[in-house]
Amino acid sequence: MRIPNQLNVTYGAVLPNGRRISERAESNAVSTEILTYSVLKEIRSDKTIVRAGESAHNTVTVTNRSAAKLFGNYLTILQPNDANFVAGSVKINGVAQPAYAPIAGFALPDLAPGETAIIEYEIKAVKPTEAPVTHFATVRYTVADPVRGNVNYAENTNTLSLNVIADIIDNSNLTVIRMPVDYGSIVSCEDSCCCCDYCNCRDWCDC
């Protein structure tokens, strides 16, 4: 995103012969680029719901849509609540980087205008949670400003959210209802005996 800027000056003058004039002068035009809108930073996942103990594959995309080169690029990823990073899962532009640790952070390639860096990694849910597992990444980069010299920036991606559910149903508190069954005949239910087919109507049934 570029913001143009130009100075317009209107002034009046009195000439030696007493004549008054009004003039308008324009400065040269300059533009200021807002890098926050020109450097796109997005984090996404291949899942929105995971089971406890299951992994999700996440991707951070950094795209330089500015007119300046980004260098000194560095990425850190916040520790997600109730989830852990899978060791050795980091990839940059498709190349595995098993020694890279997301929390400590790692360097990214320089990005010329129009270039993109794609960072992949995995997290594993620890346990079911009432609140979603959330985290985001922070991108740091430097731009060479013609006036100020090198200027450093640090910007966050969007926040990623994952719901974690239980892997199996806890049946420790389930009650088992046992009913006597007569396999020899098909009976009918009469009066107030509430039973199903094949139930023995001599006993009460909970159907």
Side-chain angles (χ1 to χ4, degrees), residues 86-107:
V86 176
S89 64
V90 175
K91 292 182 180 179
I92 299 178
N93 293 333
V95 179
Q97 304 290 346
Y100 283 9
I103 298 176
F106 43 82

Side-chain angles (χ1 to χ4, degrees), residues 9-203:
V9 179
T10 301
Y11 60 94
V14 179
L15 300 178
N17 60 6
R19 180 183 168 216
R20 295 179 176 273
I21 61 172
S22 179
E23 295 288 342
R24 178 185 175 88
E26 296 180 349
S27 70
N28 60 306
V30 297
S31 62
T32 302
E33 186 167 23
I34 308 300
L35 290 175
T36 300
Y37 298 98
S38 298
V39 180
L40 303 184
K41 306 157 292 292
E42 181 187 25
I43 183 172
R44 63 184 185 276
S45 178
D46 64 341
K47 299 173 183 176
T48 56
I49 299 176
V50 295
R51 292 184 176 89
E54 185 179 10
S55 296
H57 185 86
N58 301 332
T59 303
V60 177
T61 304
V62 182
T63 302
N64 181 12
R65 292 189 176 178
S66 73
K69 178 181 179 180
L70 310 183
F71 59 93
N73 304 323
Y74 202 83
L75 181 78
T76 56
I77 306 175
L78 181 71
Q79 170 69 51
N81 56 301
D82 295 314
N84 295 321
F85 292 105
V86 176
S89 64
V90 175
K91 292 182 180 179
I92 299 178
N93 293 333
V95 179
Q97 304 290 346
Y100 283 9
I103 298 176
F106 43 82
L108 300 177
D110 293 349
L111 294 178
E115 289 188 332
T116 297
I118 298 176
I119 303 92
E120 302 171 72
Y121 65 96
E122 293 184 1
I123 62 171
K124 178 180 287 188
V126 175
K127 61 182 179 180
T129 58
E130 294 183 2
V133 171
T134 60
H135 70 293
F136 59 86
T138 300
V139 181
R140 293 175 172 81
Y141 58 91
T142 301
V143 174
D145 186 279
V147 177
R148 297 178 294 169
N150 291 346
V151 182
N152 300 319
Y153 295 87
E155 297 165 358
N156 296 332
T157 65
N158 56 299
T159 299
L160 183 65
S161 178
L162 293 172
N163 293 313
V164 183
I165 61 176
D167 188 29
I168 60 174
I169 298 175
D170 181 3
N171 60 3
S172 60
N173 295 318
L174 295 181
T175 301
V176 178
I177 301 174
R178 301 182 182 276
M179 298 184 295
V181 177
D182 181 1
Y183 292 99
S185 61
I186 299 177
V187 298
S188 61
C189 298
E190 299 177 355
D191 299 328
S192 61
C193 175
C194 172
C195 57
C196 307
D197 285 350
Y198 303 106
C199 288
N200 189 335
C201 281
R202 288 174 300 178
D203 298 317

Side-chain angles (χ1 to χ4, degrees), residues 2-16:
R2 302 186 72 89
I3 299 177
N5 188 22
Q6 187 176 33
L7 179 64
N8 297 320
V9 179
T10 301
Y11 60 94
V14 179
L15 300 178

